[in-house]
Amino acid sequence: MYKYDAIDRQLINERVAQFRDQVHRWKAGELADDEFRPLRLQNGLYIQRHAPMFRIAVPYGMLNSAQLRAMASVARKYDRGYGHFTTRHNLQLNWPKIEDVPEILAELAEVEVHAIQTSGNCLRNITTDQFAGVAADEIIDPRPLAEIMRQWTTFHPEFAFLPRKFKIAISGTKEDRAVTWFHDIGLHLKVVDGQVGFTVIVGGGLGRTPIRGEVIRDFLPWQDILSYCEAVLRVYNRYGRRDNAYKARIKILVQALGIDAFRAQVEAEWAHGKGGPMTITQAEYDRVAAHFTAPTYETVGDVELPDEKPFLNWLVRNTHAHKVPGYAAVTLSLKKHGIAPGDITSEQMDVVADLADRYSFGELRISHEQNIILADVKQTDLHAVWQQARAAGLATPNIGLLTGMICCPGGDFCDLANAKSIPIANAIQARFDDLDYLFDIGEIDLNISGCMNACGHHHVGHIGVLGVDKNDAEFYQVTLGGRQGNDAKLGKVIGPSFAADEMPDAVEKIIQVYLESRHEDERFIDTFDRIGIDPFKNRVYEGRAHGKAKAAQKEAA
Amino acid sequence: MSQLIKNGAAAADSWKTLEIGEGETPETLALPAGDVIFPLAVWQARKSELAGRERLGLLLQPDDKVEDVAADVARFALIAVNFPKFVDGRGYSTAALLRQRYGYTGELRAVGNVLHDQLFFMKRVGFDSYALTDGKNLAYAIERGFSPFGDAYQGATDQPQPYFRRRA
């Protein structure tokens, strides 16, 4: 894992001092609220429904045990003893005091953690695959280039006040696990004729106007990624819309110009930067890559694992193939039924840090599905990890299953939300609390967002749930058939939205149609692709009044 | 009104900015004498009349295309880039292009909503004078605004070599 050197330490310490000074000037009335707002946002600080929300960066999802312990400590000391992992790898605290944030930043800086550019209209945290470096299907480890890009984005002077936020994701595997088709820039590492480079995708995004990105360059040598991104960013900074925040993302510019015209502008701009000083040197790549070498794996002999059903269930769902024989990657589920998905207490963070130290070389990763991964566990240790994780409530065997859902904080916490999302998640978890039933249903992505900003990635859930506001009441729109991965696409709206208390029934009916219609070994999404949306629609709205009938029913009531 | 910072100190401002009043057009308005900063439209409409002046100033708005004056930059003693709102970051690209691509070497001034916490970024992209918004603490901006960070990762106008090329 990357370790800071003198320049990295200097810059984050200077950042803490800068923010301390900004908070001081804001409190003294020298900085108006409007002037302070983008400054605090670029340090991850929102003003939310109940209190400020503070978002701590987890660059490309990598953490070490000391960093997680520091997060546990600040959550305990300055907040209510828990945090929430987001779909972009970051940790959110929901109740800190603004005045405490400089102190929190100072404590985090000691373990090389910061909140730089975790919010605001700037270059955001770069995300990647939670199995980077260990995935069996990996082509190139994306982390060295992710770190080089992290440094490049940090305090970039030209792109600190973009029209809107800008998110980059990198995938280094055959199967895309970084949602790269739905980022402002999505990068796929690949090798062509012995040369390493990227397929560059631009203009994707979820949110209010979900758009699948388009390929702007089929192959870009890795050395050129910074100068090429600067060209994309410069075109966007100059010509992206600034008159309407809802139309300010790069996807709108790309759609307005068309990908070919946008590509031509970027290429014309890049002609000036190509081969210039921002070209990454082999020496720099080697320097950074040296931090991401494989740990000293042991030779693990024949593994005999106990034949206990709960453990075997966990093995099936929560462990993953590793490129080194005798090892596995483990997902610690933050999706225990009845808990807000992605939430974790300080005590649990400490347990996870201990597990990482004991069983996984002191390192861990955060996934965009809001879980924690121990990437390098010996198979002979799996039973011990399972027992300790289970004791801490971190071993729910539901990864990839219906209740392992992605869910944003929603209307309980977030100012932007139209509706609550956590109670919907919990109600569905309660309905599907039977493990055998969950296993029988099998692999399915259920994603819930409390508003069209889509932090819960509802568009790419096999079942997507979107909270909407209708005449000051909370309703939920359901989409089917969305997916992430190489064939990423947006779900289709099934029909009129549902009240909160109708949601568990609606999901159950969708599942019933699947169970009745599936062929052997067909996952939900396969059945959906084969039979289409209509059977689901018919079942869900069967006997449900709508249109004139509904109006008449209301009248009668 | 604003408070001018130049060469790391408060400075007097000899320049006046010409505004196009209501009912006036770039083609017809009177061209005052002295150190005047002209809007791009006036420069474009009256190039031949202005050509003889010794010191010319130009004002670029966020949506003015810097390419339109690419061939003329050597004519200006001062180019002012306007930030109508400090969160409108187009002026950073304008400045970077003037310095890095079009070889502008005269005074490059940030005007408009120019605040303490953006001075560092402005300096990096190539500004060398700053019309700090009135009412803001000038002395503190000069003391601290330009140096929150002692170095930077990326190449920019003030240091074209990124940090990784300057490592020992």
Side-chain angles (χ1 to χ4, degrees), chain A residues 316-382:
Chain A
V316 169
R317 294 314 326 172
N318 296 35
T319 66
H320 317 273
H322 196 289
K323 66 180 181 188
V324 177
Y327 279 79
V330 167
T331 299
L332 300 171
S333 172
L334 300 184
K335 308 298 171 70
K336 188 180 174 188
H337 296 185
I339 304 291
D343 272 17
I344 180 168
T345 66
S346 290
E347 288 68 32
Q348 288 175 317
M349 288 187 230
D350 286 337
V351 169
V352 173
D354 290 346
L355 288 173
D357 280 341
R358 218 170 292 149
Y359 301 110
S360 196
F361 302 97
E363 292 183 359
L364 39 105
R365 293 101 182 280
I366 310 305
S367 70
H368 83 263
E369 288 96 351
Q370 306 170 286
N371 294 305
I372 302 183
I373 283 80
L374 300 174
D376 299 288
V377 179
K378 268 191 290 189
Q379 290 184 1
T380 44
D381 289 335
L382 286 173

Side-chain angles (χ1 to χ4, degrees), chain A residues 76-240:
Chain A
R76 199 179 278 125
K77 194 161 154 191
Y78 299 102
D79 206 294
R80 298 188 178 176
Y82 71 95
H84 170 82
F85 280 109
T86 75
T87 48
R88 299 201 77 258
H89 301 171
N90 296 316
L91 180 74
Q92 291 181 179
L93 301 182
N94 281 311
W95 314 88
K97 288 199 196 73
I98 293 180
E99 296 76 3
D100 287 339
V101 170
E103 231 16 74
I104 299 175
L105 286 174
E107 290 181 26
L108 293 174
E110 287 183 24
V111 290
E112 306 177 359
V113 170
H114 59 76
I116 294 163
Q117 292 162 217
T118 52
S119 176
N121 296 331
C122 56
L123 290 160
R124 301 286 194 89
N125 189 29
I126 291 167
T127 54
T128 182
D129 173 13
Q130 65 266 33
F131 300 119
V134 301
D137 68 337
E138 187 161 271
I139 303 161
I140 304 283
D141 185 345
R143 296 171 300 167
L145 286 160
E147 171 60 26
I148 289 169
M149 293 187 76
R150 179 194 75 80
Q151 298 187 12
W152 162 75
T153 62
T154 303
F155 315 138
H156 198 297
E158 190 176 335
F159 307 126
F161 295 96
L162 294 169
R164 199 72 184 82
K165 59 188 168 184
F166 201 92
K167 299 174 177 179
I168 300 173
I170 312 177
S171 165
T173 48
K174 291 201 187 83
E175 180 60 25
D176 171 29
R177 283 184 291 267
V179 204
T180 50
W181 288 100
F182 292 98
H183 276 74
D184 297 288
I185 290 180
L187 300 171
H188 286 182
L189 275 160
K190 61 179 179 184
V191 181
V192 176
D193 299 333
Q195 198 185 10
V196 175
F198 299 97
T199 299
V200 183
I201 299 159
V202 71
L206 298 171
R208 187 175 294 256
T209 315
I211 293 173
R212 190 179 199 265
E214 299 186 71
V215 173
I216 184 167
R217 208 164 215 287
D218 193 50
F219 187 79
L220 180 77
W222 64 269
Q223 296 92 334
D224 293 323
I225 190 62
L226 302 181
S227 66
Y228 190 81
C229 284
E230 289 201 338
V232 172
L233 263 300
R234 184 172 278 173
V235 171
Y236 171 55
N237 189 42
R238 298 183 72 193
Y239 302 113

